[in-house]
């Protein structure tokens, strides 16, 4: 049974409708986003199901996951804190900002906080060079920009996400 | 500038809302095109305006549209909203704050080449903008400005957004098309060009967001009017993204031909903390370093004038560098970017960016001697002219120009004898 297709029949139909029926492979990227929203990363089962929906090989799907940086094939923190340290951001203190943020959270780039909520990543240009230091939070199927940041404002953003997660946990407990 | 053509939302509050946009002649150009003009007439108007592509190459837009053969159907139009060049954040402002002018331009382009479907390929990081544009498109469908039999004619049009997922290379138009087809974002060998074999192997126009945002005004006011702005060969205005060591970074819409001095000092407020201007990159990371002195500061910024520095205007992403910046550090930053973004398809770029990055890292760690600086230079020179697409070429520009023009910065960080291990 294709669980993605069963659970999200309408959404998948709407995605497929954007592309000519003979070129439904075009839908691989939006379907991967859908799968990632569901599980936090793209599971092997999701790849197989997407391959089945689009009538392409699992290898084709996996190659897309591997090529593009916003897809993950392993579980990480629920929220990816993605700090840009590219040239224009670096000229406005982004490298020191990243260092301070890592220190405050007690983890290094690529690591996950002990509560499993946050992964810190160093990323390339995200198109906010004039408002550096800047990071985006990728998680829950969304990407949210946070611009003109200081360590204090960044930690406030992270604390708010932590509280949201905590409340969800208590709500379902 | 008192008059905006593209960033009109700065003068007209609420322009991102459909009723406000309609009040300001919104979709009058699209209606005029569909109901009064033949497709070929629209193409001719854009040709006569002299509009050139704003994504970096500066290719004449109307000419590009005219290349599509009329014996092969369907045609497609794809808006390139994959803005990813370090230092570029202009398309984002246009889509966030003046979305309908961009969409109207895309719709006119679609009519001009008789495409019934157009896609907007948006970088994945602009997730919020894709969602925003989806809402705007739905509003246009409700208002009868998109859909079947528009204005009672036979013309029908649908727009769809398509989200990328973090790959700079997808800004290259053939890689973008591959990605839109659900494949790896790797460039195609050209020819054939997208105009004859583009999306799904069909004739396709790919235009940058800012380019398209110019089109409604040209159709509404006529090509002669457009020549009131900018220079002879580069008519119109340009949105310059100003970043780096400058007091007031941001987007500045100015006519082509504005000088470095005007942009950086009059508009950007100069370099911070009394430091001295050292160099400028005009096309983001894909730039040569142009050393700055009093004479260079008065150079007009247009597609032609920067050639004498071996540079190009590109997407006009102006990164300002002051005397606190070591160019060896900058070189390592830029090659690291290109090493990360190289798609791996062609060997010179895949291997070249890898080795340039290794060498630049050694130099910045203080492990390399001047011989490795020369080796870095040689690797860059050997890549030039041999890569499948422009990315590989771009990766060498900062390397070669910084070693040529700022060798002292490298001398300051190297050791006498190399250190291994």
């Amino acid at each position: 049974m294709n669980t993605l297709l069963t659970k999200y029949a309408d959404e998948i139909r709407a995605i497929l409708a954007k592309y000519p029926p003979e070129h439904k492979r075009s839908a691989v990227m939006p379907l991967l986003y859908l799968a990632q929203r569901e599980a936090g990363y793209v599971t092997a089962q999701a790849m197989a199901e997407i391959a089945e929906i689009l009538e392409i090989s699992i290898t084709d799907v996996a190659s897309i996951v591997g090529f593009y940086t916003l897809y993950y094939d392993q579980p990480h923190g629920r929220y990816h804190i993605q700090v840009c340290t590219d040239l224009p951001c670096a000229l406005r203190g982004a490298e020191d900002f990243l260092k301070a943020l890592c220190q405050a959270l007690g983890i290094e780039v690529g690591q996950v906080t002990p509560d499993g909520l946050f992964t810190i990543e160093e990323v390339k240009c995200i198109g906010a060079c004039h408002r550096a230091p800047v990071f985006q939070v990728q998680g829950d199927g969304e990407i949210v920009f946070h611009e003109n940041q200081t360590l204090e404002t960044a930690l406030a953003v992270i604390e708010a996400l932590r509280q949201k997660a905590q409340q969800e946990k208590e709500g379902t407990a | 500038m008192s008059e905006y053509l593209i960033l009109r939302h700065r003068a007209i509050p609420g322009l991102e809302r459909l009723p406000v946009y309609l009040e300001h002649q919104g979709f009058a150009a699209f209606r005029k095109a569909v109901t009064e003009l033949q497709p070929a007439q629209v193409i001719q108007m854009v040709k006569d305006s002299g509009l050139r592509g704003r994504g970096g190459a500066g290719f004449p837009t109307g000419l590009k549209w005219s290349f599509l053969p009329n014996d092969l159907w369907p045609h497609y139009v794809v808006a390139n909203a994959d803005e990813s060049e370090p230092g570029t954040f202009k398309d984002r402002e246009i889509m966030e704050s003046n979305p309908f002018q961009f969409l109207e331009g895309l719709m006119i382009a679609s009519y001009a080449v008789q495409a019934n479907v157009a896609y907007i390929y948006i970088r994945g990081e602009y997730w919020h903008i894709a969602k925003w544009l989806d809402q705007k498109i739905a509003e246009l469908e409700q208002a009868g400005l998109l859909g079947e039999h528009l204005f009672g004619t036979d013309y029908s049009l649908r727009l769809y957004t398509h989200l990328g997922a973090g790959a700079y290379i997808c800004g290259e138009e053939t890689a973008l098309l591959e990605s839109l087809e659900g494949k790896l974002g790797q460039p195609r060998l050209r020819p054939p060009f997208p105009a004859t074999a583009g999306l799904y192997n069909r004739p396709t126009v790919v235009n940058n967001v800012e380019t398209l945002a110019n089109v409604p005004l040209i159709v509404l006011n006529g090509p002669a009017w457009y020549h009131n702005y900018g220079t002879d060969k580069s008519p119109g205005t340009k949105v310059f993204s100003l970043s780096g060591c400058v007091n007031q970074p941001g987007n500045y819409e100015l006519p082509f031909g504005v000088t470095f001095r005007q942009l950086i000092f009059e508009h950007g407020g100069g370099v911070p903390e009394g430091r001295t201007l050292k160099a400028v990159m005009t096309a983001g990371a894909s730039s040569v370093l142009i050393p700055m002195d009093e004479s260079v500061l008065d150079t007009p910024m247009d597609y032609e004038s920067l050639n004498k520095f071996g540079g190009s205007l590109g997407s006009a992403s102006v990164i300002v560098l002051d005397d606190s910046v070591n160019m060896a550090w900058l070189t390592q930053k830029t090659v690291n970017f290109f090493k990360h973004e190289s798609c791996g398809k062609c060997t010179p770029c895949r291997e070249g960016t890898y080795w340039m990055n290794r060498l630049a890292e050694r130099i910045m760690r203080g492990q390399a001697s001047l011989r490795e600086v020369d080796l870095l230079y040689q690797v860059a020179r050997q890549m030039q002219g041999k890569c499948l697409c422009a990315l590989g070429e771009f990766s060498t520009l900062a390397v070669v120009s910084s070693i040529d023009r700022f060798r002292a910065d490298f001398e300051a960080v190297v050791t006498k004898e190399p250190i291994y291990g």
Side-chain angles (χ1 to χ4, degrees):
Chain A
M1 192 182 88
N2 196 309
T3 52
L4 269 186
L5 193 53
T6 311
K7 190 165 175 189
Y8 297 101
D10 289 345
E11 193 173 346
I12 290 173
R13 200 175 304 124
I15 290 170
L16 290 172
K18 288 179 163 190
Y19 311 99
E22 68 274 27
H23 296 292
K24 58 181 175 179
R25 179 182 179 146
S26 280
V28 65
M29 293 176 80
L31 290 183
L32 283 169
Y33 276 123
L34 191 154
Q36 189 156 282
R37 190 183 74 205
E38 169 74 10
Y41 71 104
V42 185
T43 63
Q45 187 191 336
M47 286 191 223
E49 292 179 358
I50 290 171
E52 188 187 0
I53 295 167
L54 300 180
E55 298 174 67
I56 57 179
S57 73
I58 297 172
T59 309
D60 282 333
V61 178
S63 73
I64 300 292
V65 174
F67 186 85
Y68 296 95
T69 58
L70 292 177
Y71 298 128
Y72 299 89
D73 62 0
Q74 299 290 326
H76 292 265
R78 173 170 166 185
Y79 298 107
H80 299 261
I81 308 292
Q82 297 165 336
V83 181
C84 174
T85 58
D86 237 331
L87 177 64
C89 280
L91 292 169
R92 292 174 64 84
E95 291 180 326
D96 290 340
F97 170 77
L98 174 63
K99 209 175 287 172
L101 190 58
C102 284
Q103 237 161 29
L105 294 179
I107 55 172
E108 288 175 22
V109 169
Q111 292 182 337
V112 187
T113 49
D115 56 11
L117 280 179
F118 303 100
T119 307
I120 291 202
E121 293 168 12
E122 187 174 7
V123 298
K124 301 302 175 194
C125 187
I126 58 175
C129 323
H130 54 324
R131 296 175 189 152
V134 56
F135 65 95
Q136 58 188 9
V137 179
Q138 184 185 6
D140 297 347
E142 302 184 354
I143 294 179
V144 180
F145 276 51
H146 297 279
E147 305 176 312
N148 293 319
Q149 290 293 300
T150 62
L151 179 62
E152 288 69 35
T153 57
L155 289 175
V157 168
I158 287 167
E159 185 51 36
L161 288 169
R162 204 189 295 270
Q163 281 180 11
K164 180 186 158 201
Q166 185 63 32
Q167 281 163 4
E168 279 175 15
K169 210 170 159 185
E170 285 161 5
T172 55
Chain B
M1 188 169 114
S2 55
E3 198 174 354
Y4 290 109
L5 306 189
I6 303 301
L7 306 180
R8 284 167 65 222
H9 54 276
R10 292 185 179 187
I12 307 170
L15 196 61
E16 77 282 2
R17 296 191 295 117
L18 185 55
V20 178
Y21 186 72
L22 288 171
E23 271 169 37
H24 291 84
Q25 294 185 296
F27 294 98
F30 180 58
R31 184 186 297 267
K32 177 181 166 186
V34 174
T35 59
E36 295 173 30
L37 299 172
Q38 294 299 315
Q41 288 176 298
V42 179
I43 294 178
Q44 193 59 46
M45 285 177 101
V46 175
K47 265 188 186 173
D48 292 343
S49 76
L51 174 64
R52 299 171 66 166
R54 302 294 197 249
F59 193 82
T61 305
L63 191 61
K64 199 181 209 180
W65 295 1
S66 71
F67 288 152
L68 272 67
N70 277 326
D71 53 0
L72 194 57
W73 299 93
H75 292 175
Y76 290 103
V77 176
V78 180
N80 186 343
D82 195 51
E83 173 167 80
S84 305
E85 182 68 46
T88 314
F89 40 85
K90 64 184 182 66
D91 295 339
R92 178 183 160 193
E93 178 171 347
I94 296 168
M95 293 187 288
E96 284 176 340
S97 302
N98 193 4
F100 288 114
Q101 190 170 326
F102 154 60
L103 293 173
E104 186 178 3
L106 176 59
M107 289 155 66
I108 295 169
S110 302
Y111 174 75
V113 301
Q114 291 291 291
N116 299 116
V117 172
Y119 293 98
I120 304 163
Y121 187 102
I122 309 184
R123 65 175 304 180
E125 291 82 353
Y126 288 177
W127 176 86
H128 65 288
I129 300 178
K131 207 174 149 191
W132 170 246
L133 290 180
D134 282 341
Q135 291 169 11
K136 300 296 167 192
I137 291 168
E139 285 177 38
L140 292 178
E141 287 173 350
Q142 274 184 353
L145 290 161
L146 278 175
E148 312 300 316
H149 300 291
L150 296 168
F151 314 116
T153 69
D154 284 340
Y155 185 64
S156 305
L157 178 62
R158 297 277 175 194
L159 303 186
Y160 301 109
T161 58
H162 182 102
L163 209 51
Y168 168 78
I169 186 59
C170 291
E172 196 281 337
E173 62 179 10
T174 61
L176 183 155
L177 295 173
E178 287 286 298
S179 180
L180 185 48
E181 290 182 3
K183 301 170 190 161
L184 302 187
Q186 294 183 319
R188 298 173 181 169
L189 193 62
R190 295 181 292 182
F193 291 91
T196 53
L199 183 62
Y200 309 129
N201 209 24
R202 296 291 155 181
T204 302
V205 166
V206 184
N207 278 144
N208 169 262
V209 169
E210 184 187 353
T211 312
L212 292 165
N214 277 276
V215 172
L217 301 176
I218 291 169
V219 170
L220 204 58
N221 301 314
W225 165 85
Y226 195 68
H227 282 275
N228 291 332
Y229 304 89
T231 67
D232 262 5
K233 289 183 177 168
S234 304
T237 60
K238 181 81 192 72
V239 182
F240 293 84
S241 292
L242 189 63
S243 70
C245 311
V246 64
N247 279 318
Q248 291 150 28
N251 287 319
Y252 294 91
E253 180 179 352
L254 299 163
F256 281 107
V258 63
T259 65
F260 284 115
R261 191 190 303 279
Q262 289 167 322
L263 177 65
I264 297 168
F265 290 94
E266 283 175 29
H267 297 282
V271 294
E273 294 165 22
R275 296 194 294 257
T276 311
L277 183 59
K278 183 172 180 178
V280 162
M281 300 172 93
T282 56
S286 302
S287 300
V288 299
L289 295 171
I290 302 177
M292 278 291 142
D293 60 32
E294 282 300 312
S295 63
V296 179
L297 272 173
D298 290 315
T299 309
M301 300 180 74
D302 55 38
Y303 290 112
E304 294 77 35
S305 301
L306 299 175
N307 290 344
K308 66 176 168 192
F309 305 107
S312 73
L313 187 59
S315 53
S317 322
V318 179
I319 305 177
V320 180
L321 306 159
D322 67 24
D323 56 3
S324 69
V325 181
N326 177 294
M327 297 308 179
W329 171 82
L330 178 142
T331 299
Q332 196 266 321
K333 270 281 170 199
T334 59
V335 296
N336 182 267
F337 171 79
F338 286 110
K339 180 226 155 215
H340 185 266
E341 299 299 342
S342 176
C343 79
K345 183 167 180 170
C346 79
T347 311
C349 177
R350 184 184 62 239
E351 298 298 314
T353 54
Y354 172 82
W355 284 105
M356 287 198 301
N357 187 53
R358 286 274 299 253
L359 286 164
E361 277 179 357
R362 276 182 55 75
I363 291 166
M364 279 318 292
R365 281 200 301 262
Q367 294 178 317
S369 69
L370 269 180
R371 281 184 56 198
E372 281 168 84
V373 175
D374 294 330
L375 182 60
L376 171 61
Y377 188 85
Q378 283 169 21
V379 173
R381 293 285 292 162
Q382 284 168 13
M383 288 171 67
Q384 291 183 338
K386 300 185 185 70
C387 299
L388 182 64
C389 80
L391 187 151
E393 193 78 17
F394 288 159
S395 74
T396 68
L397 297 179
V399 178
V400 170
S401 61
S402 64
I403 297 175
D404 270 341
R405 297 168 183 174
F406 297 98
R407 193 172 175 87
D409 286 16
F410 290 85
E411 287 166 351
V413 294
V414 294
T415 64
K416 214 169 166 61
E417 292 300 324
I419 300 164
Y420 297 106

